[in-house]
Amino acid sequence: MTPTNPKPRTQGIRRIDLAYAELASSEVARDINRDVVLELIRTKQPVSRADLSRISGLQPSTISSIAEQLINEKWIIEGAAAKRPRGRRPTLLSLNPDMVIIVADIRPNQAIVAVVDLNGRFLTRETLPLVSDPERGVNNLIACFKRMRDMHQDKSIEGIGLSLPGRVDPVKKRLILSPNLPWSSYDIKKAVEDATQLQVEMDNDANACMLSELWFGRMDGIRDAVLVTISEGVGTAILANGQLVTGRAGLAGEFGHVSLDPAGPQCSCGRFGCWEMYASSRAAVNYFAELRPANQRPTSLELLNLAEDNDPDAIVALSRQAAYLGKGLRMIVTALAPDVILLTCELTSSWGRFGPIVQAELAAGVHVIDPPRIEVTADAELARLRGAAALVLQRHSGYNRSKPDSPNGKVIRKRRDRTAVAARA
């Protein structure tokens, strides 16, 4: 009998690009299961093996095997036994608090260096002034990394994560576009790895912040989003259909260097009137300096403090920055139509005052009934540091650990960048 209200068919044939696809081997399936279990432990901890089997649908024997592997690799630990009204009391699994990552949020003039654990908790944090010379600047960073390692000799350091104000080639692992930090000619990754003997992961600060949201944050159920980070420049990261989009040579998402006015001020990239020349924290300071040329230029944080004290010129300068931020978001919505826009910037600390300006400018220029939802981060600095940690977590948790040992006796883990297609009978 045909049902009176047949359920619409929602499945069909998905196009597979055979140039980049391969059949899923048992090794690939094992790695996928391993990452699923690690993610479940992270979100459900403390959790028993039996509960992991029930939630994941994997066999208890598979869960036990993966759990032992993760324990041996020091990703997780066994804790107290769960209380049960009857029967055997299972031990609970949690992320290992003694596995940590050294991270750095590198900015044009300074770096914030920290040690963070797998749950995103910060154990140590230090501010380091930077210089424009890349070798001197990286050597200062290396000295700080070594101090951090010496301070936490009781911890297992998984690697080093770097959040950078520029675009990083995902294949060459080199900084290739960084108008505000002249380090593109220097092999940062190699220099740090040679000096510390630790694996280094690095990416654009916006991409790092997006990974932070995926790993630690609020992205459950969201498939299409754009994250915009505002500091000395403007950076963006794109999540499309649940995948982080990097594009050719990692250059996707450079909306900060799209010109809003060809007759505008020259940007550090060489073009004129780029969005970041109007919407960055540096732009807000410039607006204030135009209003009070005789005053000493404040930092962006000092400018926000002045606005909180109801300084009229500070409010005008930051309102102008907020208006240009909203105008620039229009092109993102027009180009990508995200469900959510995430903002990571100092301006969000006064969102009650300046957020409505951003939202009004965005709504005034988009051709949709409902503009995307805007969500803000409470602490831009912490977001970039957690993003640097997420780079290491995301790229090390799914690594092939059977590669030959490196010269220093550690396993060099190579990322599995491929599409696995399961063969069905």
Side-chain angles (χ1 to χ4, degrees):
M1 178 181 293
T2 303
T4 55
N5 294 306
K7 188 175 182 179
R9 180 184 176 94
T10 59
Q11 294 183 338
I13 297 176
R14 183 167 67 91
R15 181 184 179 275
I16 300 295
D17 189 341
L18 296 179
Y20 295 97
E22 60 181 89
L23 295 180
S25 65
S26 59
E27 180 187 2
V28 172
R30 186 168 61 248
D31 283 351
I32 292 172
N33 289 340
R34 176 189 176 283
D35 288 349
V36 167
V37 171
L38 181 60
E39 174 67 6
L40 286 174
I41 293 171
R42 184 184 70 83
T43 56
K44 306 293 184 182
Q45 62 182 317
V47 62
S48 69
R49 290 171 173 82
D51 286 339
L52 286 172
S53 177
R54 177 179 54 82
I55 297 168
S56 67
L58 295 172
Q59 293 294 322
S61 59
T62 302
I63 292 292
S64 293
S65 176
I66 293 172
E68 291 307 310
Q69 179 188 2
L70 291 172
I71 290 171
N72 291 335
E73 294 172 357
K74 299 183 180 180
W75 282 95
I76 65 172
I77 58 170
E78 289 184 296
K83 293 182 178 180
R84 293 286 189 268
R86 63 179 64 87
R88 183 179 166 187
R89 298 174 63 189
T91 56
L92 301 179
L93 303 173
S94 302
L95 294 181
N96 181 6
D98 288 331
M99 178 179 280
V100 298
I101 301 156
I102 298 175
V103 295
D105 169 27
I106 299 173
R107 311 281 286 277
N109 299 316
Q110 69 175 20
I112 311 297
V113 182
V115 174
V116 60
D117 69 13
L118 298 186
N119 288 301
R121 292 188 292 257
F122 290 89
L123 310 183
T124 308
R125 186 158 48 162
E126 179 179 333
T127 300
L128 182 73
L130 288 185
V131 295
S132 58
D133 178 72
E135 185 173 1
R136 285 180 57 206
V138 171
N139 283 340
N140 290 342
L141 277 172
I142 289 169
C144 188
F145 295 155
K146 290 180 176 179
R147 288 197 301 274
M148 294 280 184
R149 182 170 58 186
D150 292 342
M151 292 169 60
H152 297 281
Q153 295 184 21
D154 58 330
K155 304 294 184 182
S156 175
I157 299 176
E158 176 63 11
I160 296 174
L162 305 180
S163 167
L164 293 159
R167 293 292 163 174
V168 176
D169 188 312
V171 176
K172 297 178 180 178
K173 306 296 184 183
R174 295 285 296 263
L175 184 66
I176 60 171
L177 177 64
S178 181
N180 298 315
L181 181 69
W183 288 9
S184 299
S185 62
Y186 195 73
D187 193 340
I188 303 168
K189 177 180 170 69
K190 183 178 185 303
V192 176
E193 286 184 339
D194 287 348
T196 64
Q197 299 299 295
L198 291 169
Q199 184 87 9
V200 173
E201 302 296 343
M202 49 190 270
D203 207 338
N204 167 259
D205 53 6
N207 287 345
C209 286
M210 180 67 85
L211 284 176
S212 174
E213 292 293 334
L214 292 168
W215 191 274
F216 300 110
R218 309 156 292 177
M219 300 296 288
D220 287 348
I222 297 174
R223 305 282 293 173
D224 298 286
V226 174
L227 184 143
V228 181
T229 177
I230 308 289
S231 55
E232 292 84 356
V234 175
T236 54
I238 303 167
L239 187 76
N241 196 27
Q243 300 293 320
L244 189 63
V245 177
T246 57
R248 184 172 63 87
L251 293 171
E254 271 302 307
F255 287 98
H257 293 288
V258 174
S259 177
L260 298 185
D261 180 7
Q266 186 172 19
C267 179
S268 53
C269 73
R271 299 184 181 93
F272 291 86
C274 292
W275 182 25
E276 76 170 39
M277 295 304 296
Y278 298 99
S280 64
S281 57
R282 179 178 52 180
V285 171
N286 289 339
Y287 299 148
F288 183 80
E290 291 172 4
L291 295 170
R292 291 195 192 165
N295 281 38
Q296 183 177 354
R297 293 171 66 91
T299 65
S300 56
L301 182 58
E302 289 169 344
L303 186 61
L304 283 163
N305 290 338
L306 287 171
E308 286 299 307
D309 287 335
N310 292 317
D311 183 289
D313 290 337
I315 292 172
V316 169
L318 290 167
S319 296
R320 189 176 176 189
Q321 178 196 12
Y324 275 113
L325 175 54
K327 290 176 182 178
L329 292 179
R330 296 177 192 171
M331 61 181 169
I332 290 177
V333 173
T334 301
L336 301 172
D339 294 321
V340 177
I341 294 175
L342 301 163
L343 288 182
T344 299
C345 58
E346 292 174 342
L347 191 67
T348 60
S349 63
S350 295
W351 194 246
R353 185 195 294 267
F354 300 109
I357 300 173
V358 176
Q359 292 170 321
E361 286 290 343
L362 171 60
V366 295
H367 304 292
V368 292
I369 297 174
D370 296 315
R373 184 171 79 254
I374 296 179
E375 293 192 2
V376 301
T377 58
D379 192 316
E381 181 183 296
L382 288 183
R384 286 188 290 267
L385 289 170
R386 285 199 176 101
L391 290 172
V392 178
L393 294 173
Q394 184 241 9
R395 293 175 182 175
H396 287 205
S397 64
Y399 272 34
N400 179 357
R401 295 170 180 265
S402 61
K403 296 296 180 184
D405 285 349
S406 67
N408 63 337
K410 293 178 179 278
V411 175
I412 295 294
R413 304 175 176 96
K414 301 298 182 183
R415 187 182 180 190
R416 192 182 298 281
D417 279 328
R418 59 189 182 186
T419 303
V421 182
R424 299 180 180 271

